[in-house]
Amino acid sequence: MSKTLTASRTAVLVCQGRAAADGLVAPDRFADPTAMPLLRPDEREAVEWVRDGTPPRQWRQRVDYETVRASRDMMVPRTVAIDDAVRERPGPQVVILGAGLDGRAWRMPELAGATVFEVDQPASQQDKRERSARLSGRPPAFVPVDFRTERLSAGLAAAGHRAGEATTWVWEGVVPYLTEAEVAATVAEIAAGSGPGSRLVVNFQTPAASIGFGRLLARVLMASTGRSTVWKNEPWRSTWTPAAMGRLLAAHGYAVTRDDALAETAAGLATPVPRRSSLPHSCVIIADRD
Ligand SMILES: C[S@@+](CC[C@H](N)C(=O)[O-])C[C@H]1O[C@@H](n2cnc3c(N)ncnc32)[C@H](O)[C@@H]1O
């Protein structure tokens, strides 16, 4: 299987979504002051348009505006659901799987006493190392692992993770990029590294025909500006029903404590749930091991 040689573009898009929302959307429940500093100047442009709420007139810029706005609508409920789950059980070890430009290690005071590991495929992680030099605070231990070709447990052990002790695992926005078999293999690796008291917070997409239509539309819109979408090199490979994900976790000793449909989280925050977006088909499961 070939290695991914370029940094993740989807990681940039979700970071743009958080930067667009910070301080403006559901400010009593959502904040991510690390998002804007993690972006490069050209990536901040569309974020500023969304923050201003002024759709640009030029078509190419308008497509970027709509893309970042859709990301913002997804990222607010997703971040709130996952932050709440991490706050309830923050460590002593936290592993962020497919971390991308996640700023939790720097921004969450609840993680101050935890040892935080960030796992990502090597090119994305190198990109994160360069960008995060701008952030203040204690950086995580960086663990380069490609879930499709490498052993997570070996990488974590080499970085000092203690497999027999409690770990809070955050697996956000990554499951769709793995096949069912790769997801199952990664859950087995997570389970092998989970001592008593561990928690797994996993976000995934449920099957829906409208997602294929949404992707096609995004592709056509981007193509009309002479560019490719961020999903060109990061295709979706699996979707899961909450029941199927629950069964997989149970087979590895994790009992589902909560199952959050992000559309409901968004409704509770009074943030938008665009019907044709992937938000109505996005879930977060919180599973614990005694
Ligand atoms: C949509 S981004 C999500 C980033 C971050 N979790 C967040 O929500 O902000 C997808 C992330 O998954 C990572 N990823 C995708 N496939 C991977 C693989 N096979 N092994 C390791 N990381 C992978 C990408 O590098 C990228 O950082």
Side-chain angles (χ1 to χ4, degrees):
M1 199 174 292
S2 66
K3 281 198 177 236
T4 310
L5 298 173
T6 52
S8 168
R9 289 174 64 199
T10 62
V12 173
L13 177 58
V14 294
C15 186
Q16 287 176 305
R18 291 189 289 261
D22 183 46
L24 296 177
V25 182
D28 52 332
R29 297 282 282 118
F30 171 88
D32 188 352
T34 66
M36 198 66 107
L38 282 167
L39 295 172
R40 300 196 195 284
D42 58 314
E43 297 160 352
R44 290 182 199 163
E45 226 179 347
V47 171
E48 294 296 358
W49 299 328
V50 175
R51 289 181 66 83
D52 290 346
T54 338
R57 283 171 187 260
Q58 210 218 344
W59 177 241
R60 181 186 168 105
Q61 297 179 343
R62 179 64 190 258
V63 170
D64 289 349
Y65 170 94
E66 295 299 342
T67 307
V68 171
R69 190 170 68 156
S71 173
R72 178 200 66 184
D73 293 344
M74 167 70 95
M75 295 318 297
V76 171
R78 190 165 111 180
T79 305
V80 167
I82 295 173
D83 282 2
D84 284 354
V86 172
R87 264 186 213 110
E88 278 172 13
R89 216 184 258 217
Q93 306 180 101
V94 175
V95 177
I96 304 179
L97 299 158
L101 303 179
D102 185 323
R104 287 188 177 88
W106 290 266
R107 77 173 164 78
M108 287 188 76
E110 294 84 355
L111 301 190
T115 307
V116 183
F117 301 86
E118 284 200 357
V119 182
D120 210 332
Q121 50 103 344
S124 295
Q125 190 154 80
Q126 183 53 38
D127 184 44
K128 171 72 165 288
R129 281 173 182 266
E130 289 160 17
R131 292 168 184 258
S132 63
R134 294 193 277 273
L135 300 179
S136 56
R138 186 163 55 104
F142 289 108
V143 185
V145 172
D146 187 323
F147 303 128
R148 307 188 76 204
T149 54
E150 293 167 312
R151 296 267 318 273
L152 171 63
S153 51
L156 281 173
H161 177 257
R162 299 174 304 278
E165 295 179 23
T167 298
T168 297
W169 306 83
V170 176
W171 200 10
E172 176 185 14
V174 188
V175 165
Y177 304 106
L178 304 174
T179 63
E180 283 186 24
E182 289 160 354
V183 172
T186 306
V187 170
E189 290 279 292
I190 290 170
S194 297
S198 292
R199 164 165 284 196
L200 171 56
V201 186
V202 53
N203 160 239
F204 55 95
Q205 294 298 129
T206 59
S210 59
I211 292 178
F213 175 75
R215 284 294 143 90
L216 180 65
L217 187 63
R219 216 164 53 225
V220 170
L221 287 177
M222 271 297 173
S224 73
T225 70
R227 295 170 296 166
S228 61
T229 73
V230 296
W231 298 284
K232 180 166 189 284
N233 296 329
E234 296 170 76
W236 278 16
R237 297 186 169 98
S238 72
T239 53
W240 295 75
T241 62
M245 182 57 79
R247 278 194 300 275
L248 174 64
L249 301 183
H252 291 280
Y254 267 103
V256 174
T257 304
R258 216 168 59 232
D259 164 2
D260 291 335
L262 290 186
E264 285 171 25
T265 311
L269 296 167
T271 57
V273 184
R275 217 163 36 90
R276 285 184 188 278
S277 71
S278 47
L279 174 56
H281 312 288
S282 193
C283 284
V284 169
I285 277 186
I286 297 146
D288 293 322
R289 189 178 242 202
D290 293 329

